[in-house]
Amino acid sequence: VEVVPVVLEQPDGRRVLQLEWNPVHIVALRRFEHGGEVFAIKGEYDRSIDYYFQSLKISEELEDQRGISETLSLIGENLMEKGSFTESVDYFEESLKISSDIGARLEVMRNYERLAMAYAGQLMFDSASKYIYLHGVLKDSIMFNPDTVAAKIVKTGKTVEEQQIYNLRLALIFSGI
């Protein structure tokens, strides 16, 4: 079977990813992913998980860390749907480690959310709130666009310390909303 080179580049020409993929593996990988989705929609979570494990095996053969991370998350989601919250945590944590290692911040954020739900499903609210907090912090850093902030400096006649106290009070008021 012929190996096909795949190169992904940014619009500025910087190379982001370069792989040599076997087209047979790619087709099989996509079929298993789609099969998993179909069975999940039908509520047949065990069959969905079986398909995702086959997809995981191919991602591992290709050494596709992002694919491994995403597939582990999909397995965890299906386990959660079955009510296997404890088992799902293992898959989310493994996915979180991989996504953190490769710098996939969006996948890290999603895993924080999934872990919060899995711990809440086990009534472990301290752990759930930890991941809710981490999710929120990361989401804010990913979604923040300084170009959309319209701010201007206004002289208030307050000292720096008075302004800081005032700002803190406003932050506390708005965080309660």
Side-chain angles (χ1 to χ4, degrees):
V1 175
E2 179 186 346
V3 174
V4 176
V6 176
V7 178
L8 299 176
E9 293 182 350
Q10 295 278 8
D12 64 3
R14 286 183 299 146
R15 190 166 282 182
V16 177
L17 180 66
Q18 181 172 350
L19 301 168
E20 291 186 0
W21 288 40
N22 176 330
V24 173
H25 280 134
I26 300 299
V27 171
L29 179 65
R30 296 295 165 234
R31 283 192 181 142
F32 290 131
E33 287 175 351
H34 294 306
E37 291 170 22
V38 168
F39 287 113
I41 290 168
K42 292 172 69 175
E44 296 180 33
Y45 301 113
D46 288 326
R47 289 185 74 184
S48 178
I49 290 167
D50 288 342
Y51 272 87
Y52 285 131
F53 271 117
Q54 293 175 59
S55 175
L56 179 62
K57 182 179 177 190
I58 294 170
S59 290
E60 288 171 340
E61 288 175 13
L62 294 170
E63 298 178 9
D64 175 13
Q65 296 301 303
R66 183 177 299 274
I68 293 169
S69 175
E70 291 172 358
T71 305
L72 288 167
S73 291
L74 292 168
I75 292 168
E77 286 178 2
N78 279 272
L79 287 167
M80 242 188 349
E81 290 293 331
K82 286 179 49 175
S84 301
F85 297 104
T86 305
E87 192 177 356
S88 71
V89 167
D90 295 334
Y91 288 93
F92 295 141
E93 286 179 345
E94 189 175 349
S95 175
L96 176 61
K97 182 187 179 326
I98 294 169
S99 55
S100 294
D101 289 347
I102 63 172
R105 296 177 69 216
L106 211 50
E107 188 65 20
V108 168
M109 183 184 76
R110 290 181 186 131
N111 277 303
Y112 286 156
E113 182 179 28
R114 293 170 182 134
L115 282 162
M117 292 187 310
Y119 281 118
Q122 297 175 67
L123 307 178
M124 298 174 68
F125 298 112
D126 287 342
S127 296
S129 63
K130 169 188 161 186
Y131 286 106
I132 289 169
Y133 171 77
L134 291 170
H135 173 267
V137 169
L138 187 54
K139 182 177 181 180
D140 287 346
S141 74
I142 290 173
M143 305 302 177
F144 178 72
N145 180 356
D147 296 332
T148 63
V149 177
K152 61 181 181 176
I153 298 173
V154 177
K155 297 208 182 229
T156 62
K158 297 178 182 168
T159 67
V160 172
E161 186 177 287
E162 289 171 332
Q163 188 64 46
Q164 287 174 338
I165 291 170
Y166 176 77
N167 291 346
L168 180 59
R169 286 182 180 153
L170 284 177
L172 288 171
I173 291 168
F174 287 115
S175 69
I177 292 177

